[in-house]
C-alpha cells in the first residue's frame, strides 16, 4: 500500500514540476488504477514477469467499472513503467508514472529534479515496511532461476 501511495505522491510532485495544471494525478482514476495494479501480477501470478498479468487485472477491473475509456492509457502506463528510456515528455502521464515508480524503487537515488527533502518526507510519512527488501529477495530468486532474464519487466 505504501508503495502505491508514495508513487502517487511522486506523480503529483512531478506533475507540478512539469508545469501541469488541473487535477493532480493522485486524484485521477487513470493514475489510481495504474498505481494499484502496476505490480499486482507479482503476487497474483507469483512471477517477476508480471506486466501482462498486471495489465490483465487492471483491464478486468476497468471493464467491470465501465471505464473502458481508460484501458489504453492504463495499459500503456503499466507496460512502460519499467522502461529504461523516457516514455514521453515530462508532462506525459506514462512518463510521469514511470519516473514516480523509479523514484520510489531507487529509494530516491533517482529524483528527476524533485528536492531530496520532499522525497525523504514522503518516505518518512509512508515507510517501506519491507517492500524494498522484498524486491531484492525476488530479484535474487529470479536471477538464480533465470540467469539470462533476471528482470523481464525492463524494457529499453
Amino acid at each position: 500500500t505504501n508503495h502505491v501511495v508514495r508513487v502517487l505522491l511522486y506523480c503529483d510532485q512531478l506533475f507540478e514540476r512539469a508545469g501541469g495544471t488541473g487535477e493532480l494525478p493522485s486524484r485521477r482514476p487513470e493514475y489510481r488504477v495504474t498505481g494499484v495494479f502496476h505490480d499486482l501480477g507479482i503476487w497474483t501470478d507469483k512471477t517477476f514477469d508480471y506486466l501482462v498479468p498486471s495489465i490483465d487485472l487492471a483491464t478486468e477491473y476497468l471493464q467491470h467499472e465501465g471505464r473502458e475509456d481508460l484501458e489504453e492509457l492504463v495499459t500503456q502506463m503499466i507496460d512502460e513503467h519499467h522502461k529504461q528510456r523516457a516514455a514521453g515528455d515530462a508532462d506525459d502521464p506514462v512518463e510521469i508514472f514511470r519516473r514516480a515508480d523509479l523514484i520510489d524503487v531507487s529509494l530516491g537515488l533517482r529524483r528527476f529534479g524533485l528536492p531530496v527533502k520532499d522525497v525523504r518526507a514522503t518516505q518518512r510519512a509512508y515507510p517501506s515496511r519491507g517492500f524494498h527488501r522484498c524486491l531484492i529477495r525476488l530479484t535474487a530468486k529470479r536471477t538464480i532461476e533465470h540467469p539470462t532474464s533476471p528482470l523481464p519487466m525492463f524494457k529499453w
Side-chain angles (χ1 to χ4, degrees), residues 139-147 150:
T139 300
K141 182 178 184 239
R142 171 75 188 197
T143 301
I144 291 166
E145 293 173 356
H146 302 277

Side-chain angles (χ1 to χ4, degrees), residues 62-78:
L62 289 168
Q63 289 172 355
H64 181 267
E65 294 297 310
R67 292 305 312 258
E68 292 87 353
D69 59 309
L70 297 178
E71 281 183 43
E72 185 177 339
L73 179 55
V74 169
T75 294
Q76 190 178 3
M77 290 170 79
I78 293 172

Side-chain angles (χ1 to χ4, degrees), residues 38 48-55 74-87 94-95 98 101-102 149-156:
H38 75 282
F48 223 36
D49 194 3
Y50 59 87
L51 296 178
V52 171
S54 296
I55 290 167
V74 169
T75 294
Q76 190 178 3
M77 290 170 79
I78 293 172
D79 193 46
E80 308 237 336
H81 84 275
H82 284 303
K83 189 173 180 194
Q84 297 305 294
R85 288 182 247 178
V94 177
E95 181 62 8
R98 184 191 77 83
D101 187 69
L102 184 54
S149 176
L151 300 170
M153 77 296 271
F154 280 19
K155 298 178 178 206
W156 291 104

